[in-house]
Amino acid sequence: MQQARSIHHRRKMALNGLVLVWVAVLVLGGCSLKRTAVNLAGNAISGGGRAYASDDDPDFIREALPFGIKVSEGLLEESPVHRGLLASVAKGYAVYAYLLQDQADRTEAADLAKAKALRGRAHRFYLRSRDHALRGLRIDSRSADLFRQLANRIPRATREDVPFLYWAAVSWAGA
């Protein structure tokens, strides 16, 4: 019981910290100061994820993920090439899509229409994940030459590209 309260308290504190950073970013007027705040928040967010990974309630995580993803996307608007945020958003959307797909599988026997709608949402979120991962690889996912761009990029991939390659592959396969 005490451990559950402690975990809840840590989550609440982390959420409050993210909200505080987000409000500070919105309020700050100076561009360089704003960019610094965004990059600091982005570094903190992209280095996280353990709170989600350590939770044993997939429904709770599925409900909490959209807020974190949208905060990260808001930060990406201010710092569009922040690779940590791009990787975090790609991972977030892929995980969220997987959890929707899991919910669809569990719902299918009772409500086929709902399961179909959930799978449609999962498909769209997998594609969002893929697009963010490709942005991290500096590949334009709207291009007709998407496969050519990827084929040219893979031989030049670095260690820092591995998370983007992984999330692009996972999300593309999921879609």
Side-chain angles (χ1 to χ4, degrees):
M1 182 74 150
Q2 182 65 22
Q3 184 181 6
R5 278 191 207 139
S6 175
I7 291 171
H8 176 73
H9 178 71
R10 280 185 281 168
R11 284 189 190 132
K12 187 175 177 182
M13 294 302 292
L15 182 60
N16 288 342
L18 283 175
V19 170
L20 182 63
V21 167
W22 184 242
V23 169
V25 166
L26 291 175
V27 171
L28 292 173
C31 186
S32 64
L33 188 56
K34 187 176 184 180
R35 177 77 42 147
T36 300
V38 167
N39 287 333
L40 287 172
N43 292 340
I45 289 170
S46 63
R50 287 178 295 278
Y52 289 108
S54 65
D55 201 295
D56 64 351
D57 186 341
D59 292 330
F60 178 71
I61 292 176
R62 189 186 66 251
E63 293 164 4
L65 270 173
F67 175 78
I69 294 168
K70 292 312 283 184
V71 167
S72 296
E73 277 191 321
L75 293 171
L76 269 175
E77 287 179 14
E78 295 299 324
S79 187
V81 293
H82 191 290
R83 295 191 87 208
L85 280 172
L86 285 166
S88 179
V89 171
K91 177 181 178 179
Y93 274 130
V95 170
Y96 186 64
Y98 175 80
L99 292 170
L100 286 174
Q101 197 172 345
D102 178 62
Q103 184 183 11
D105 291 345
R106 291 185 285 134
T107 305
E108 188 170 37
D111 190 343
L112 186 59
K114 182 178 180 181
K116 186 175 180 177
L118 286 167
R119 285 195 179 92
R121 286 187 73 210
H123 175 79
R124 289 188 304 275
F125 285 121
Y126 276 129
L127 293 180
R128 284 187 192 184
S129 171
R130 179 206 64 188
D131 291 349
H132 279 85
L134 292 176
R135 253 178 76 191
L137 290 168
R138 297 171 184 87
I139 294 175
D140 180 12
S141 63
R142 296 165 300 194
S143 170
D145 289 336
L146 181 57
F147 290 109
R148 185 183 316 252
Q149 286 182 70
L150 193 55
N152 289 335
R153 181 72 176 106
I154 289 175
R156 297 180 291 119
T158 65
R159 178 182 294 222
E160 290 78 25
D161 293 330
V162 170
F164 297 107
L165 291 167
Y166 176 79
W167 291 114
V170 164
S171 56
W172 220 333

